[in-house]
Amino acid sequence: MAKYPSISLFFPAWNEEDYVERAVSRALEVLPKLTDDFEIIVVNDASTDRTQEVCDALAAKVPQLRVITHPVNLKLGGAMRTGLAASTKDLVLYSDIDLPWDMRELERALHLMNYLEADMICAFRFDRTSEGPKRIVYSFVYNLLIRALFDIQIKDVNFSFKLMHRRVLESMELKSQGSFIDAELVVKAIRKGFRVFQMGVDYFPRTRGISTLASPSVILKMVKELVNLYPETRSPPPPSKPVRLPPSVQQLRSVPGHAGRG
């Protein structure tokens, strides 16, 4: 008997040939123990390596796997919007495909979601020293800025472990094209009155490939989007194009000025 509702697990992927098979394998070890109804979605964001080939081979063997391919690279924001919109299950989990957290932590997140009657669980990293001083400083400053500008208490807004109920996606519109989309998603959920809680997890840095999330171009785009989308993110209007249909849902409860808990 299933312990938890149906789950969609979504991975964005750009040139991740070394990680796709590992990520899908780990998901298949964990998800069947938690639910009888799940799907795994990989969005191949116009990769130029063997990511598509590896995905196609896996999809031929794994019926729960769906692969969506972008003909042109849409960056993290575009890949996330595609994956979130394609989800069909009651709960939606977003993770980087290099698995920076132990997939077995999902059971704890699901338990907390039930116990706390939460709409979203956001994980934060206990220890980031393995990333090096530059990325630690970038992250500290960015998280401090997001907390100050949006009056929230989220510790690690860009970390890719976010578990959410489908009603969150059905009630908002996301517009970011780049890495600001993590903050846009979390802040809009909080500002709309959804119950957002945090949990700490051990962090495992990537050991293959190269992350571009701390490159100057990515950071510049993130700052530009923060400036352009600030008014809408702080006071989100009713969505004209929700991340996921149906276009409107009944929130669990509405709390004006509600901030994330942790």
Side-chain angles (χ1 to χ4, degrees), residues 31-86:
L31 289 172
K33 299 176 183 177
L34 303 175
T35 179
D36 297 326
D37 185 7
F38 67 90
E39 64 183 355
I40 304 168
I41 302 169
V42 176
V43 176
N44 174 20
D45 194 23
S47 296
T48 57
D49 63 356
R50 294 179 58 254
T51 295
Q52 185 67 47
E53 181 182 340
V54 176
C55 284
D56 289 343
L58 286 170
K61 298 184 293 184
V62 180
Q64 299 92 344
L65 175 62
R66 285 195 289 142
V67 180
I68 303 172
T69 302
H70 288 166
V72 297
N73 184 262
L74 298 181
K75 307 300 181 184
L76 179 62
M80 279 188 61
R81 290 203 312 274
T82 294
L84 296 174

Side-chain angles (χ1 to χ4, degrees), residues 112 191 238-239:
L112 286 174
R191 304 301 289 186

Side-chain angles (χ1 to χ4, degrees), residues 74-78 81 176-182 221 225:
L74 298 181
K75 307 300 181 184
L76 179 62
R81 290 203 312 274
S176 171
Q177 297 289 332
S179 296
F180 179 67
I181 193 166
D182 281 285
K221 183 172 184 176
E225 287 192 328

Side-chain angles (χ1 to χ4, degrees), residues 211-243:
S211 173
T212 60
L213 296 181
S215 68
S217 61
V218 169
I219 293 172
L220 180 60
K221 183 172 184 176
M222 191 160 54
V223 172
K224 287 181 177 178
E225 287 192 328
L226 167 59
V227 172
N228 293 335
L229 296 175
Y230 174 77
E232 178 180 323
T233 303
R234 186 171 176 87
S235 300
S240 58
K241 296 180 180 179
V243 178

Side-chain angles (χ1 to χ4, degrees), residues 169-172 238-242 244-249:
L169 302 176
E170 291 167 350
S171 72
M172 71 170 64
S240 58
K241 296 180 180 179
R244 174 173 156 177
L245 296 177
S248 62
V249 293

